[in-house]
Amino acid sequence: MAVSKSEAAGALRDIEQAQNRVGEMRSYRLAAPYLIGWGLIWAIGYTLMALRPMSDWGLIWLPLDLVGIGVSILAGIRDNKRMPASAPRNVATWRVIVGVLFVAVYVAATFTLFAPHDVRPFIIYPGMVVGAIYIVIGLAWMPRLGWIGAAIFVLTVAGLLVPRDYLLYWMAAIGGGGLMLSGAWLRTA
Amino acid sequence: MSAPDEIIHQSLRLKIMATLNAECGEGPLEFTRLRNLLKATDGNLGSHLTTLEKAGYVTIDKDFVGKKPRTRVAITAAGANAFKGHVAYLREVLNGA
């Protein structure tokens, strides 16, 4: 059997594409538990916000975020140990942590800069930022996350049309529930 | 120069071997997941897997999860070596060795 140069190039391209697809699907499966976990935190946080006065909101989110970040770090370490030695490590855990902290600072800085008088931006804006980040990740590397981000972004902005008394429940349902459903979808990859 | 592997060189079989080789650290791959990754039909994938199994390049295990049948496929050591050799051959052809 003789193989021409163009045939060999095509075959090597097919191999690379197959390997990239395996890597992409593996990334989805690894991302799934994080989405489910953060969806749960999101749902609990917004539901508690709806049930407690505004003065308690900081106290609600601080422990929830600390638990979420702590569990995410431990899960990241576990995932790195489980990954096959041949699998590429695209993103170091410390980069993810710095990224999450930067997003938190960015959201806080935006509120400081624009000092909104209405409570709705405080409720809606974090979801918009998360949706936008997923869209960027989706466009660059993981298309499914892009669709999830677009859905979160649109549904979060649609919260402006929801009566104020129900807005926090809306965010708990579409943000928390949406992330958990998205995680379940990624698990099937 | 390395020798080509006629069994592996067929387009879908090459993709099957590349996929199984990339997944080998995670244990056997379910047939349905392999089918989705390769965007192949059940019949086409099944017939090429049989060819690879006869060559000793993959193992196919069938069992039940509850009442649901499950088919899992894994690359063998011989299959991994054959794939590695074929990739080396393709690179040599490309580089004009």
Side-chain angles (χ1 to χ4, degrees), chain B residues 10-74:
Chain B
Q10 194 278 339
S11 177
L12 184 56
R13 290 200 287 269
L14 185 71
K15 289 177 191 169
I16 293 170
M17 292 300 283
T19 302
L20 292 176
N21 192 56
E23 283 271 9
C24 68
E26 296 188 50
L29 193 61
E30 283 198 29
F31 182 89
T32 49
R33 182 162 275 169
L34 183 61
R35 184 194 60 200
N36 294 341
L37 281 167
L38 297 171
K39 293 173 182 160
T41 61
D42 283 2
N44 200 17
L45 181 58
S47 77
H48 285 298
L49 281 174
T50 304
T51 304
L52 291 168
E53 188 185 28
K54 279 179 185 165
Y57 290 170
V58 303
T59 56
I60 300 172
D61 290 314
K62 294 182 180 189
D63 61 3
F64 283 86
V65 181
K67 287 181 179 175
K68 208 174 161 189
R70 178 176 67 170
T71 302
R72 293 190 299 169
V73 188

Side-chain angles (χ1 to χ4, degrees), chain A residues 114-157:
Chain A
F114 292 102
H117 297 294
D118 186 5
V119 76
R120 285 187 304 177
F122 288 102
I123 298 169
I124 289 175
Y125 187 61
M128 284 173 59
V129 172
V130 170
I133 290 168
Y134 282 5
I135 289 171
V136 172
I137 294 172
L139 288 171
W141 302 291
M142 300 162 76
R144 283 195 190 188
L145 275 191
W147 290 110
I148 292 166
I152 289 173
F153 187 90
V154 169
L155 290 169
T156 301
V157 174

